[in-house]
Amino acid sequence: MAKKIRWGILGPGDIAHTFAKGLSFVPDAELVAVGSRSMGRAKKFADEFGAAHAHGSYADLAEDADVDVIYVSTPHPFHKENSLLALNAGKAVLCEKPFTINANEAEEVVGLARKKKLFLMEAMWTRFLPVMGKVREWLSDGRVGEIRMLSAQVGFRGGWNPEARDLNPALGGGALLDMGCYTLSFASMVMGGPPAKVSGFAHIGKTGVDEHSMAILKYEAGVIGFVCSAIQTSVPADAYIYGTEGSIHVHQAFWAAKTATLKIGRKDEETVEMQPEGNGYNYEAAEVVRCIQEGKTESEVMPLDESISIMNTMDDLRAQWNLKYPAE
C-alpha cells in the first residue's frame, strides 16, 4: 500500500476550512496538524477537522515531525516567508494562489525547494478539476485546430470594507492577485507558456488597489488573449478558446469549472458536465499526494517555472499601473 501523506495547515482561515474539507476526500491523505498565531484558533480548527496536533505558532507546525507537507493558506504577502519556513524545516509545500506577491519572491521560494529537493506547488485548484483535464485533452488532440484567440474573465461585487483582504494593500489586495491569477493561469495552461507582450488598464480605487482591470495578451504565434478581473463589479466568469476548426467554452464559473462545450464549426460537438467529488479542492491535494508518493519535487500539471512566469506577467501589468504593495 502507498504511504499515507500527513498534512499540516498553516493559517486556519476561510480558505483553509475549504481545503480541509476537500482533503477529507483524498484516501491517502491525513490532516494531522494545524498552526496558527493563536493557540485558541489552532485548537478550534484541529477539533473541527480531527487533527491530532494544534500549534500556537507557525514555527512549531514547521518543526512537527509527524507532518510531511504543509498547506500555506495565509494572506498573499506572507506566502514567501511561510513557504520558506516550511521548506527550511524539510517539509513539502502546497502554497495557496497567488504563489507570492511578485516573481522575485516566487524565484526565491522555488530556488530553495529545488536546492533542498523538496516538493513545491502553487495551489491553483482550477487546474486540477476534471473539466479542465478534458479541456487539455481536446487541445492536445487538436480538436479546435490551431489556436487563434482566447478569453477569460471573472469578477464579483464585494462588500466595502477597506480593512478586508481584497481591498487592503498591506494584505496584497486587488483584483489581479485575487482573481486575475485565475484568468492568467488559464491562458498559460492553454498556451503552454507566457505571452510575449502584455498590455493592460486598471482602475485603482480609494484604498490603492486595482478594483478592476483588463489586459491583452500577445503570443509569438500570433495568438491574442483577453482577460479581465474585478472585485467590486460582477462579471460573468466564462472562458473561451477559439481555433481554426472550432472553439471551447468553459462555462461560468470557469475557475470552479463543471461544464465545457466543444464546438466544431458552428455545431455543438460535445458538452461535458463533470461534477467534482468532494468540493473540488481534493484534486489539487490528490496531485500533491501522488507526486510525493512518486518521489517528484514538482507537478507536471502546475510546474514551478509556469508559476514564476505567471507572476512575471502580473508584475509587468502592475508596473504599467504603477501599483506596488507595502511589502515590496
Side-chain angles (χ1 to χ4, degrees), residues 127-128 132-141 189 301:
R127 187 72 64 99
F128 301 93
M132 285 301 178
K134 189 64 176 180
V135 169
R136 291 194 295 273
E137 179 186 314
W138 284 338
L139 293 174
S140 178
D141 291 344
M189 179 191 79
V301 181

Side-chain angles (χ1 to χ4, degrees), residues 34-248:
V34 59
S36 173
R37 292 173 299 178
S38 161
M39 179 58 83
R41 290 188 69 203
K43 285 182 176 178
K44 182 178 179 181
F45 191 98
D47 289 344
E48 180 177 354
F49 292 102
H53 305 156
H55 299 288
S57 76
Y58 299 153
D60 287 347
L61 171 66
E63 295 298 333
D64 191 326
D66 291 335
V67 172
D68 300 310
V69 55
I70 289 177
Y71 170 61
V72 173
S73 58
T74 47
H76 312 337
F78 310 112
H79 286 180
K80 184 191 83 165
E81 66 177 84
N82 297 153
S83 295
L84 293 177
L85 175 71
L87 291 167
N88 275 316
K91 301 297 191 289
V93 171
L94 173 66
C95 182
E96 189 51 59
K97 61 83 188 166
F99 199 35
T100 50
I101 284 288
N102 56 47
N104 286 338
E105 290 189 353
E107 289 172 353
E108 184 177 349
V109 176
V110 169
L112 180 62
R114 286 174 171 166
K115 179 181 178 181
K116 289 184 168 291
K117 296 180 172 56
L118 291 168
F119 180 85
L120 172 67
M121 190 180 85
E122 179 183 10
M124 181 52 68
W125 72 293
T126 301
R127 187 72 64 99
F128 301 93
L129 294 172
V131 165
M132 285 301 178
K134 189 64 176 180
V135 169
R136 291 194 295 273
E137 179 186 314
W138 284 338
L139 293 174
S140 178
D141 291 344
R143 300 291 298 277
V144 300
E146 295 181 12
I147 299 171
R148 289 289 183 258
M149 300 177 68
L150 63 89
S151 68
Q153 55 186 32
V154 59
F156 63 91
R157 173 68 177 173
W160 185 258
N161 178 3
E163 300 303 316
R165 180 185 56 79
D166 56 341
L167 288 169
N168 189 340
L171 296 179
L176 182 64
L177 261 61
D178 197 48
M179 304 303 290
C181 58
Y182 285 120
T183 66
L184 291 171
S185 186
F186 176 80
S188 182
M189 179 191 79
V190 171
M191 295 305 302
K197 185 176 181 180
V198 58
S199 179
F201 298 90
H203 168 68
I204 308 300
K206 294 178 181 178
T207 65
V209 302
D210 57 306
E211 292 184 5
H212 53 268
S213 68
M214 294 183 177
I216 301 295
L217 314 175
K218 179 69 168 63
Y219 295 86
E220 294 286 2
V223 179
I224 296 174
F226 166 78
V227 296
C228 72
S229 58
I231 54 172
Q232 285 292 301
T233 306
S234 295
V235 178
D238 294 271
Y240 296 88
I241 305 163
Y242 302 99
T244 53
E245 305 298 327
S247 64
I248 296 171

Side-chain angles (χ1 to χ4, degrees), residues 215-292:
I216 301 295
L217 314 175
K218 179 69 168 63
Y219 295 86
E220 294 286 2
V223 179
I224 296 174
F226 166 78
V227 296
C228 72
S229 58
I231 54 172
Q232 285 292 301
T233 306
S234 295
V235 178
D238 294 271
Y240 296 88
I241 305 163
Y242 302 99
T244 53
E245 305 298 327
S247 64
I248 296 171
H249 174 199
V250 186
H251 301 256
Q252 67 169 314
F254 86 87
W255 49 273
K258 297 176 183 176
T259 308
T261 298
L262 169 68
K263 278 192 175 185
I264 304 300
R266 297 183 178 181
K267 180 182 178 182
D268 284 0
E269 182 76 9
E270 183 179 354
T271 294
V272 295
E273 183 170 349
M274 299 173 139
Q275 292 290 336
E277 298 177 2
N279 62 5
Y281 282 72
N282 42 301
Y283 295 106
E284 64 178 358
E287 173 72 356
V288 175
V289 167
R290 180 189 70 83
C291 288
I292 293 176

